[in-house]
Amino acid sequence: KAKEKAQAAAAAAAEAEKNKKQKGYTVTGQRLQNIGITLKKLRREPDDVARALWTCDGGELDDDALEAILKVFPQPEEIVGLKNEKKNENIDWSEAERFMYTVAATVPDTKERISLWRASNEFAEAVESAEASVVTLEKAAMLLTTKNSRLSHTLKILLGIGNIMNRGSSHAEAPGFRLENLSMLTLVKGVDAKTTLMEVLIRTIMDGERALADSNTSGVAAPSLNATQKSTSEASNSPLRAVSAEGFEGTLSQQAVEVLLKRGSLLSFPEDIVLPLLEAGKCPLQGVSTQLTQLQHSLQKMRKIVADNETAQRSGTARGPTDPEARAILSRDSNSGGPPVLLEDALPQIVKSCADKFTQRVSALSLRHQSLKEDLASMIEFYGEDPNNTDEVAMFALLVAFAKNFDEWVAKVQQQDRFAQKEKEKELQKLQAGPTSK
């Protein structure tokens, strides 16, 4: 009897152990704790979340909720572990573990679904952003390759001054100068160690425009700019080359005169380029390329979802999960009193609408992008640089820095002239007053 009692006790203990609730072991520690914290903020039941994901219910799941779901959604290895745990009838899951399993088992494509759902909602804005970037870069390329602009004539005059300064050296008669040398204009000085090349450039333009204004008034031809330039012929022997400047004649050319009359002083060329180039610098071509790649990739995924859905409809393949418990979560009562009806998966129609609306527009934008790449490469070559070693953003930055520096020096030179004029007027007043008696 004692032996029978012992055996019965052992059997009871074994049965109790068998029926003992077991804790989950797949998701543990800090990861499980973090998921629990996120779910408290989410404040939604897993069944409700699964249905809202299936029907793409934006009223139930806003962007913050979708972000929270992505944070708690199990990794592939965690899904396998949770499914194995589910087979154990005595598993004792926390709310976090139950949430993870329910959503993953009911809507297994949750991550891709959220990604494409969001992409569809944001697609118009993304396309408009890419288009705006392309337009901005197109304008910048056109602005910098317009030969009859205030900038181009300013650079031609600068090249002419540089060739006069370099006369007698191996750098004379250079066809252009490196853009990076534009930053040296305030460092290169004349024999007086005071007059900078930037000041010479500005005064050359001022003298030429003043002479033009006088000739328009008196009918006398405007004098050559060479007199002003020759005074700086020994200022520096530093090389100045690369910006193409055909036809510098030492005078304000007829084209420059036309530009001056139509658009105003060459001294104001910075207002033509600074803001457009600053805007263009914010949307580099590489960034536009990345935007377009992402748009095309999203459209490709969308078209696959649509194609798979159409194939399933033609073949009569059941949509949604095959697990009865998961299908029950995604079903509603039949209006006719029959068995529950599976809710319609809203994602295929959402992405189809998006793909139909934007596929052609993105294709057209891709063609413009390819042309833009060629235009920007031509623009860089136009300025004597290597497109393989120079990106457009660096080039924009060099020209913006030059324009701003030029603007500052125009103000300095004008201030110097005002001061000199006042001093001249004072001297004239003294002469007119005559000698003072003692």
Side-chain angles (χ1 to χ4, degrees), residues 292 296 361-371:
L292 276 173
Q296 291 165 339
R361 191 167 163 185
V362 171
S363 296
L365 186 58
S366 297
L367 292 176
R368 285 178 65 186
H369 170 258
Q370 184 58 40
S371 296

Side-chain angles (χ1 to χ4, degrees), residues 240-418:
L240 297 169
R241 46 199 176 108
V243 175
S244 178
E246 301 172 359
F248 178 80
E249 302 167 353
T251 62
L252 282 179
S253 67
Q254 184 59 38
Q255 286 183 325
V257 170
E258 291 174 1
V259 170
L260 175 63
L261 295 176
K262 288 181 181 179
R263 303 179 189 175
S265 171
L266 300 185
L267 297 176
S268 299
F269 87 83
E271 69 187 26
D272 297 339
I273 70 168
V274 171
L275 290 180
L277 295 190
L278 284 175
E279 286 301 311
K282 296 175 185 176
C283 45
L285 183 63
Q286 184 58 48
V288 178
S289 301
T290 301
Q291 281 181 299
L292 276 173
T293 299
Q294 292 172 343
L295 290 172
Q296 291 165 339
H297 187 55
S298 294
L299 283 174
Q300 185 178 3
K301 285 185 172 182
M302 290 177 185
R303 287 192 289 266
K304 185 178 185 307
I305 292 288
V306 173
D308 290 347
N309 184 57
E310 291 174 348
T311 300
Q313 288 179 341
R314 284 194 300 267
S315 62
T317 305
R319 291 282 301 154
T322 56
D323 178 69
E325 186 177 334
R327 287 186 72 85
I329 293 173
L330 299 181
S331 298
R332 60 173 176 78
D333 292 337
S334 172
N335 294 330
S336 60
V341 178
L342 186 69
L343 294 169
E344 181 180 0
D345 181 4
L347 184 64
Q349 185 54 45
I350 289 175
V351 297
K352 181 180 186 303
S353 176
C354 182
D356 289 347
K357 184 176 181 179
F358 291 106
T359 294
Q360 187 173 354
R361 191 167 163 185
V362 171
S363 296
L365 186 58
S366 297
L367 292 176
R368 285 178 65 186
H369 170 258
Q370 184 58 40
S371 296
L372 176 62
K373 287 176 65 175
E374 296 169 1
D375 289 346
L376 290 176
S378 298
M379 176 193 73
I380 293 171
E381 289 178 341
F382 177 81
Y383 280 82
E385 304 292 341
D386 183 357
N388 296 319
N389 299 324
T390 306
D391 65 55
E392 74 286 348
V393 174
M395 183 172 156
F396 296 156
L398 285 171
L399 288 170
V400 167
F402 165 60
K404 288 183 174 181
N405 202 12
F406 183 91
D407 233 2
E408 292 173 0
W409 273 85
V410 167
K412 289 181 182 179
V413 170
Q414 290 174 339
Q415 185 177 21
Q416 290 173 2
D417 287 354
R418 286 193 295 270

Side-chain angles (χ1 to χ4, degrees), residues 117-133:
W117 183 12
R118 277 177 158 180
S120 298
N121 292 337
E122 299 165 0
F123 215 84
E125 183 179 350
V127 171
E128 288 170 4
S129 174
E131 286 175 335
S133 296

Side-chain angles (χ1 to χ4, degrees), residues 135-151:
V135 169
T136 299
L137 288 172
E138 286 173 339
K139 288 181 178 178
M142 183 177 295
L143 177 68
L144 295 184
T145 53
T146 299
K147 294 183 179 180
N148 200 24
S149 66
R150 292 197 286 189
L151 170 65

Side-chain angles (χ1 to χ4, degrees), residues 24-28 31-32 35 72-88 91 93-94 96-105:
Y25 51 83
T26 298
V27 184
T28 58
R31 162 82 167 146
L32 186 61
I35 291 172
V72 304
F73 192 78
Q75 300 299 318
E77 63 275 11
E78 291 175 334
I79 294 175
V80 173
L82 289 169
K83 286 183 176 180
N84 288 332
E85 290 181 17
K86 178 67 174 175
K87 297 174 183 177
N88 183 352
I91 196 71
W93 274 342
S94 64
E97 290 167 306
R98 185 171 67 85
F99 184 98
M100 294 171 72
Y101 173 81
T102 300
V103 174

Side-chain angles (χ1 to χ4, degrees), residues 43-100:
R43 294 183 296 180
R44 287 171 176 82
E45 291 298 315
D47 290 8
D48 296 334
V49 169
R51 280 191 291 271
L53 286 171
W54 185 254
T55 59
C56 297
D57 186 351
E60 178 67 22
L61 300 177
D62 59 15
D63 203 57
D64 290 339
L66 292 176
E67 191 64 36
I69 292 168
L70 288 175
K71 287 181 180 179
V72 304
F73 192 78
Q75 300 299 318
E77 63 275 11
E78 291 175 334
I79 294 175
V80 173
L82 289 169
K83 286 183 176 180
N84 288 332
E85 290 181 17
K86 178 67 174 175
K87 297 174 183 177
N88 183 352
E89 296 179 356
N90 295 323
I91 196 71
D92 183 22
W93 274 342
S94 64
E95 289 186 11
E97 290 167 306
R98 185 171 67 85
F99 184 98
M100 294 171 72

